[in-house]
Amino acid sequence: MCDSTSLRVALPEGMSAEEQSQYGFPFLIGQRVNEQGEITHRFLEEETLVSPLTGARCKVRALAHTPAALDWLSGYELKVNPPACLIGRNYLLVNGVYQAARGALELLKHHAASRGCSAEGVDLLKLENTKLTSVTNCFLFEFDTQADALAAKQELRDYLEGVLNYVLPADSTRKSKKTKKPCFSVGPDGTFSVYVRLRHMSVLAYIKEPDVPGAFAEFPSEEVKERLEALAQRMLRVEITVHEKWLRDNDLDSPEAWRDNPAAYEKVFGLLLKALRLDENLRCRVPSEAVIAKLPEDHQTILIAHLKGENARCHP
């Protein structure tokens, strides 16, 4: 599913500020003042947009051609969680980036109309003039039990930490161990979330917990809520976020590029496979005793325990 997205919707080129004012495109100007009460800076302020469908909130900000003429707009920037804003929850939704962008555009149109934009002005907000600046796709993995899902999350964390956080002495292409580790987890055992921060993408792996403070979710009935929450406990959710440069470099910065295009989602998921080095056909045979003997003694102890099926993280 497309869990969240940021996008820019451009207004038609060649329109003057006077022409735009006739349509009534909305914008909000903010300002900063110094201790003397003098205005030191004026800017277009981000506004909160409330979904008329669910009551969930997203962000919208008008964009100007130049800071010297804030009323001459080039378009709008939106940051939207489509599942929350369109249906009220994201437990099992399959929506896709194209449909998510369409929904986000409709929210922008509603915002513009509610702020006094004319029908003719609303019609000028078009999907073909929209560029994606960030996309978060969520991949769901269902397991037989909650314990199986938790074990898979722990295994993914261990694998990511092992591949991304530790530098081999002979690997001169990677940075020093003193740099910030790209993989880390937050939260207590059982409910922790796994994070990866890389230059071209970020990853979040977690199991959705019920009744999380501040999380937005609406359900048609208590029965539906209980069934969805029980199912969610058996699902590992892996969110992969790609940003503007990657989208542009891969010709995926337009909503239309994602339409009926499963290869686009495979390409995004392939970034995680590459981070895990699963595309390198690494050897998976058990190393020989001679190879193990070349390792430092403490490394040998941990490796032998791992090969016996013990949890290396719990090794004394």
Side-chain angles (χ1 to χ4, degrees):
M1 74 175 72
C2 179
D3 190 75
S4 63
T5 183
S6 298
L7 43 86
R8 282 195 297 265
V9 182
L11 293 177
E13 295 184 3
M15 294 179 62
S16 67
E18 292 75 15
E19 290 174 310
Q20 291 179 0
S21 66
Q22 295 175 7
Y23 293 108
F25 292 113
F27 57 91
L28 179 64
I29 295 180
Q31 60 187 31
R32 295 190 180 94
V33 297
N34 58 22
E35 295 179 354
Q36 290 73 40
E38 300 170 332
I39 298 174
T40 59
H41 181 57
R42 298 172 76 247
F43 56 93
L44 288 170
E45 196 159 15
E46 187 175 74
E47 301 181 65
T48 298
L49 189 161
V50 179
S51 168
L53 300 175
T54 68
R57 299 172 182 272
C58 58
K59 298 295 184 180
V60 59
R61 183 168 66 95
L63 303 173
H65 281 287
T66 169
L70 295 180
D71 60 343
W72 184 25
L73 304 183
S74 61
Y76 291 91
E77 179 182 63
L78 288 91
K79 301 175 183 177
V80 184
N81 183 307
C85 288
L86 299 178
I87 70 167
R89 73 205 74 87
N90 68 347
Y91 281 71
L92 299 174
L93 180 66
V94 178
N95 58 348
V97 175
Y98 174 74
Q99 296 295 350
R102 286 186 62 194
L105 182 63
E106 292 302 315
L107 291 172
L108 174 61
K109 289 182 175 182
H110 177 270
H111 166 74
S114 66
R115 291 280 302 276
C117 184
S118 66
E120 294 79 7
V122 169
D123 287 341
L124 293 176
L125 301 171
K126 299 181 180 295
L127 196 63
E128 54 262 36
N129 295 331
T130 298
K131 291 294 184 181
L132 301 164
T133 58
S134 175
V135 169
T136 298
N137 285 320
C138 183
F139 300 87
L140 305 180
F141 299 89
E142 183 177 356
F143 295 88
D144 292 333
T145 67
Q146 181 179 350
D148 290 341
L150 177 59
K153 182 176 67 169
Q154 291 172 332
E155 183 178 2
L156 177 62
R157 176 186 64 180
D158 295 346
Y159 199 110
L160 282 166
E161 288 182 350
V163 171
L164 297 177
N165 287 359
Y166 299 97
V167 182
L168 296 176
D171 190 350
S172 60
T173 64
R174 299 184 63 184
K175 295 181 179 180
S176 166
K177 294 181 182 180
K178 296 181 180 179
T179 60
K180 188 175 181 180
K181 294 180 178 179
C183 179
F184 59 95
S185 56
V186 176
D189 289 343
T191 61
F192 65 88
S193 298
V194 183
Y195 294 84
V196 174
R197 296 285 186 265
L198 298 175
R199 176 180 54 81
H200 58 294
M201 71 161 183
S202 59
V203 178
L204 168 60
Y206 64 102
I207 297 172
K208 185 178 283 292
E209 300 292 330
D211 302 320
V212 176
F216 184 90
E218 284 191 342
F219 304 90
S221 69
E222 188 64 26
E223 179 185 1
V224 171
K225 179 178 184 291
E226 291 176 357
R227 292 180 64 180
L228 283 176
E229 288 180 343
L231 181 56
Q233 294 289 290
R234 296 192 284 109
M235 283 191 166
L236 174 62
R237 311 171 74 88
V238 179
E239 297 181 0
I240 303 176
T241 300
V242 289
H243 302 289
E244 185 173 10
K245 184 179 185 303
W246 187 92
L247 290 166
R248 186 174 58 249
D249 291 347
N250 289 273
D251 296 322
L252 291 173
D253 58 341
S254 71
E256 187 66 32
W258 293 81
R259 188 176 187 180
D260 300 324
N261 184 12
Y265 301 91
E266 294 171 3
K267 182 175 285 190
V268 171
F269 194 73
L271 295 174
L272 177 59
L273 298 181
K274 186 174 180 63
L276 291 169
R277 299 179 67 182
L278 295 177
D279 62 332
E280 297 182 26
N281 296 319
L282 298 176
R283 289 177 57 183
C284 59
R285 291 196 301 255
V286 175
S288 66
E289 293 183 1
V291 171
I292 295 177
K294 296 179 181 179
L295 298 173
E297 185 175 349
D298 56 342
H299 290 196
Q300 292 183 42
T301 303
I302 294 175
L303 176 58
I304 292 171
H306 169 71
L307 295 175
K308 291 180 179 178
E310 300 175 15
N311 188 343
R313 298 177 68 90
C314 300
H315 196 275

